[in-house]
Amino acid sequence: DLLQLQSSDILFDLGCGDGRMLLRAASRVDGLRCVGIELNESLVARGRENMDMAKRSADKATLADRVEIRHGDVLAELKTMGQLAPATASTSIGEQSNRKLSLLDDATTVFVYLLPQGLKQVKILLEEAANRRRREKTNAGEGDNE
């Protein structure tokens, strides 16, 4: 409710832990696609177990198809700015194309749960990404006037 998500949104959760927030968000908003990035391998493994349990539940089969949990470094993901996400182990999103969703190009909402030091670094990179995205939208709009 806090994030006011819609079915057209793509939620990125930085420091997603075991992915429970992603699964909860996807269960509350039909069509919402979610990507979590987590550095701790044991939390990623737990998240994958949670997704497997959701897939076994008949009413939640499509829910797990809209959630991806990546094992990787949030800072490395942000530093790719505009490139495809770095090669990380991931649980795929079944309904999407083969292209991996990227934080810069695809995210409509970003949720961050990191330690203060990581938050400082991520804040700078997210601001750079937002500014770049605004510039790209502005430049794309200028071409429409020709």
Side-chain angles (χ1 to χ4, degrees):
D1 296 336
L2 176 67
L3 299 176
Q4 300 177 348
L5 298 167
Q6 300 176 4
S7 62
S8 59
D9 281 328
I10 299 174
L11 169 65
F12 268 73
D13 182 359
L14 311 183
C16 70
D18 64 6
R20 76 180 71 180
M21 196 277 286
L22 296 169
L23 288 167
R24 187 172 297 129
S27 71
R28 290 185 177 180
V29 181
D30 288 337
L32 175 70
R33 294 181 292 167
C34 304
V35 178
I37 304 171
E38 176 58 51
L39 186 60
N40 184 316
E41 288 185 58
S42 64
L43 289 174
V44 172
R46 226 180 293 157
R48 291 181 178 152
E49 290 170 10
N50 291 340
M51 288 178 58
D52 287 343
M53 286 191 304
K55 283 180 182 177
R56 281 183 286 226
S57 172
D59 60 329
K60 294 186 177 179
T62 60
L63 169 74
D65 290 339
R66 295 184 285 117
V67 177
E68 175 183 3
I69 299 175
R70 296 178 187 167
H71 174 246
D73 183 349
V74 170
L75 294 173
E77 176 90 13
L78 283 167
K79 288 177 182 174
T80 63
M81 302 271 242
Q83 302 171 19
L84 288 180
T88 58
S90 71
T91 302
S92 64
I93 299 176
E95 293 180 356
Q96 295 174 0
S97 67
N98 293 331
R99 184 181 71 80
K100 220 178 194 184
L101 293 174
S102 80
L103 182 56
L104 174 64
D105 296 326
D106 300 305
T108 59
T109 306
V110 178
F111 181 81
V112 182
Y113 188 84
L114 299 172
L115 295 173
Q117 190 62 19
L119 277 173
K120 288 177 187 174
Q121 294 176 8
V122 166
K123 180 183 178 203
I124 293 166
L125 293 170
L126 284 174
E127 287 172 346
E128 288 176 15
N131 288 335
R132 176 179 168 179
R133 216 166 163 174
R134 278 193 284 280
R135 281 193 304 273
E136 287 175 356
K137 283 184 180 181
T138 300
N139 291 340
E142 289 172 359
D144 295 341
N145 296 332
E146 293 176 9

